[in-house]
């Protein structure tokens, strides 16, 4: 009962209360002609809620994101294919898709004077701003009747996944200059014990930092390097 009452709009609630009050008063006073009007006002929102709740079950949604994997800074496109097969025409259909802030703002669409059978393909832009795996959806649908008496809301379960990866930059090929001699500028310079690593792997010396031990060369040669 609470769900049915909350589904009524302000106009629907007013008509229901007026119809109920008018029905009770006319039933007590014996005014049958006015009683019919009260029953119409009372039953109109309730019957509309019944028919609209049944028709909303015929809405289907197919969703996708293109591409499903992109790098930071890329543009993406979300797509929603909405299909309605119902017996009761709807006044307004309001659609809102759930989108994380890392991909953009939530898109909202409004379909006016939706008939009994209709299909809409909706697209909205997305922007890959932060790397990670994200989900868009589910889609939220709000349905109203042509008279604006009922406002129903439905959430779909389907979501779309998208993977945002870091941007890859191609590095220039490393060019080696100079020969392999041990004199002049071609000789590798030794850097102090404390500070940066030595240019070449060498034998362990007393006082060297143990964190600088090259374990692969140590295992191969059998002595600390």
């Amino acid at each position: 009962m609470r769900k049915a009452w909350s589904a009524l709009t302000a106009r629907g609630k007013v008509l229901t209360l007026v119809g109920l009050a008018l029905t009770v008063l006319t039933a007590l006073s014996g005014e049958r002609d006015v009683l019919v009007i009260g029953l119409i006002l009372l039953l109109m929102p309730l019957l509309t809620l019944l028919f609209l709740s049944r028709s909303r079950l015929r809405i289907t949604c197919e969703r996708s994101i293109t591409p499903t994997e992109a790098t930071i800074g890329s543009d993406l496109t979300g797509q929603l294919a909405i299909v309605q097969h119902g017996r009761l025409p709807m006044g307004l259909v309001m659609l809102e898709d759930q989108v994380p802030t890392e991909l953009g703002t939530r898109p909202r669409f409004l379909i006016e004077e939706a008939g009994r059978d209709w299909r809409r393909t909706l697209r909205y832009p997305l922007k890959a701003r932060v790397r990670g795996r994200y989900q868009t959806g589910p889609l939220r649908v709000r349905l109203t009747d042509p008279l604006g008496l009922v406002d129903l809301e439905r959430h779909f379960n389907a979501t779309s996944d998208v993977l945002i990866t870091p941007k890859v930059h191609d590095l220039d090929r490393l060019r080696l200059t100079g020969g392999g001699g041990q004199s002049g500028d071609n000789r590798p310079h030794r850097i102090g014990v404390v500070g940066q690593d030595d240019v070449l792997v060498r034998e362990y010396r007393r006082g060297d930092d143990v964190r600088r031990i090259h374990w692969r060369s140590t295992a191969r040669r059998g002595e600390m390097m």
Side-chain angles (χ1 to χ4, degrees), residues 63-82:
R63 56 180 306 120
S64 62
I65 294 182
T66 306
T68 57
E69 183 175 345
T71 58
I72 295 178
S74 302
D75 295 325
L76 304 95
T77 301
Q79 178 173 304
L80 301 171
I82 312 296

Side-chain angles (χ1 to χ4, degrees), residues 2 15 33 35 47 60 74 78 126 128 131 155 168 184 197 220:
R2 292 182 179 180
L15 287 182
D33 296 337
L35 178 63
L47 293 177
T60 60
S74 302
L126 297 172
R131 69 177 185 176
H155 291 269
V168 178
D197 294 337
R220 184 171 60 253

Side-chain angles (χ1 to χ4, degrees), residues 99-124:
V99 173
T101 56
E102 291 82 359
L103 298 179
T105 58
R106 295 182 179 181
R108 294 180 176 88
F109 305 95
L110 179 63
I111 301 177
E112 300 180 352
E113 299 180 358
R116 292 180 298 177
D117 298 325
W118 51 269
R119 178 185 178 91
R120 297 290 190 277
T121 300
L122 309 173
R123 295 180 178 87
Y124 56 89

Side-chain angles (χ1 to χ4, degrees), residues 8-51:
L8 296 177
T9 62
R11 181 184 302 176
K13 293 178 181 179
V14 170
L15 287 182
T16 302
L17 294 177
V18 171
L20 179 61
L22 192 59
T23 300
V24 173
L25 293 177
T26 53
L28 296 177
S29 61
E31 297 290 340
R32 295 185 178 181
D33 296 337
V34 184
L35 178 63
V36 175
I37 299 177
L39 290 176
I40 292 176
L41 296 179
L42 176 62
L43 295 178
M44 185 182 300
L46 301 180
L47 293 177
T48 302
L49 175 61
L50 177 63
F51 291 140

Side-chain angles (χ1 to χ4, degrees), residues 150-201:
V150 179
D151 187 359
L152 292 178
E153 184 173 309
R154 179 184 180 185
H155 291 269
F156 287 88
N157 296 325
T159 58
S160 300
D161 296 330
V162 59
L163 178 62
I164 308 301
T165 58
K167 184 178 294 186
V168 178
H169 300 275
D170 295 331
L171 300 179
D172 296 335
R173 176 175 294 182
L174 181 62
R175 296 181 179 179
L176 299 178
T177 59
Q182 297 295 326
S183 63
D185 295 337
N186 295 328
R187 190 189 325 177
H189 298 277
R190 175 173 296 174
I191 303 177
V193 174
V194 179
Q196 303 182 19
D197 294 337
D198 290 347
V199 176
L200 298 178
V201 179

